[in-house]
Amino acid sequence: MTSITTLRERATAAMGGSRIARTARTVASTAAAFVTGSFLYGWLTAEPDPDVVVIDLRDTRTVGPFITVLTRVVGWLAPIYRESVLADGVTALGALLAWVADTRAGRALVALFEPPAPPADDAAAAQTEGEPPDRDAE
């Protein structure tokens, strides 16, 4: 075992001191510094502002009446739209888009814009660790 350990240490020391390894480390550290120092990285990884105030626009004097009128107009137009030729065209367009999403390029676009999966719940986490899921908890 000692000869294998010594051989491994020698190989690691030889590769670690090589010009290619030093160049790779330099490139990697420069790229990491460039990415982590960028505005986009800072914006994407920033913590949400705890002082954010949520305002229900329906309760405001400026936007509230507009939303009320819009709600009434949409409620009145919705049954008319459902029976229109436009609705049939939108349905046909939806079928065409579903067909396009079934192609290889469509699946690639869907995968590109799909949001990440939510965190696993306890049953799924327990199952991935090799334990059977607790059926009584569900």
Side-chain angles (χ1 to χ4, degrees), residues 38-80:
S38 71
F39 171 77
L40 182 62
Y41 179 84
W43 181 72
L44 288 172
T45 58
E47 291 292 323
D49 188 7
D51 297 330
V52 171
V53 177
V54 177
I55 299 172
D56 188 1
L57 292 176
R58 293 173 293 190
D59 297 336
T60 62
R61 291 183 185 180
T62 55
V63 181
F66 176 74
I67 293 175
T68 303
V69 169
L70 187 62
T71 302
R72 288 183 183 163
V73 168
V74 168
W76 177 71
L77 288 177
I80 297 170

